Amino acid sequence: MNEQESVQGLFIVGGRIKSKVTLADRHILQDHLSNLLQVHNLVVLLGSGASFHLGSPQTRNLNNEKVVELIGNAGGSVNDADRALLKLVNPGDNGDLERLLNALQLASALTIHTQGGTVTLGEGAAAKTFNVDALEALRHKIGSALVEACKLPGKADDVDEDYRTDPLRAHRTFISRMVRSRRSNLPRPRIFTTNYDLVIERALDELGYPYVDGFSGTVERRLNLSFYGLDFHRIDTSTQKVIARADGALYVHKIHGSLNWRARTERDRITGVESLEVHQVADGTPSGDDRVLIYPTTAKEGDTLAFPYSDLMRQLGDSVQQDDTAILAVGYGFADPHINRILLRSLAVNPALNVLVVDPFAVLEPSVMAEILESDDVVGKRLDADDRKTKGTAVSALAQAADARIAVLTGDAGKFTVFADLMPDPSLGDAVASPRTVSELIESLELIGRKTTAKTLAEDGFSA
């Protein structure tokens, strides 16, 4: 493989191209990452782009037929009334699921507000009247289909071929290298994610890493945000004295909810006062209004003002305002104004904040990217030099910002699966075995020892 074939993307710092990401120059990116991973407070923000290789659903580039297909894949059915309603609320067939759900929500709210029970959509001969039940039925079908599609990994055909036998490999690599790259005396990394799926939790379970997700209890797990103030330590079992902090621990914050969260109003046994509680469900996904999820609609910013999202968002705000902090945003497209506001305000008031955004496609069109990668004299120049056309996205705007605290990685290197392998690996050879792997090794050795002892006893005429 020659160097040109190994080009994986562009690393941009302060609006200038710092380097191409090649086999020869990847150390420039890795040096930057190594410094970020050693900051006092590390905040990781994972969006849906971190799960695309596992079949994570797209909320854009979905025309009406794709929406129908999404519902069908979830076991739902679409009738003629649903198709007519889709055509009227999405006449441009523009494929933006957020706008579609918002239109249905607004139409439903209008029928309730006017107390007429129906709403007429369209003009002239194409106009049709729908009742609130039809509007709500389609909205719930789409919501349920989206939830079903977020149960990852998806169907085999939807998962990248390299991850069908070991779907969580990239997440394990990313998390383990991040954790092992940090000095043991630094605060735990905090992962904030907008994703509903359980991929992060399952990857942590496979690694054997302990983590705090804000829930207390074992059989009955209930959201208790004070648990984010706890940590893990190893102790001497005989004296109960603390030996050291446990390795590999971190915090997980699911700021838009989770597939296995359920809301329930409960009455306190002592005071009799009712309150809203959030539980983790171990035996399936909650349905309907019991789900604790922020759906992709324009109303999601208002939804974040309610419990538990407001508390989780406050924790994000507190985390990024600390001294010596780095934000590593991977697969997050900056499509959520309520999150963007927190990040941008923190950049404005916190001079000790550094940001690295990792996104493969949001900065340049493929033809422009190819042109830059083929050029020999782009390193050190501004991204928008020579009237170079960039995309009109938030990530592209960040890539062009003349602020040395902001870095962007784009191109194939910005794909989560590639980026995970680009993370600096602190081990000398292959990946260091996880605690789970070590415990399995110990169990195997103990089993061998028991078998050897039994064999020796048998040879000596004793029964084990």
Side-chain angles (χ1 to χ4, degrees), residues 104-130:
L104 289 170
Q105 192 174 43
L106 289 174
S108 179
L110 181 62
T111 62
I112 296 172
H113 179 70
T114 58
Q115 299 181 350
T118 62
V119 63
T120 300
L121 303 174
E123 297 181 355
K128 292 184 180 296
T129 299
F130 299 89

Side-chain angles (χ1 to χ4, degrees), residues 8 45 217:
Q8 295 176 295
L45 178 58

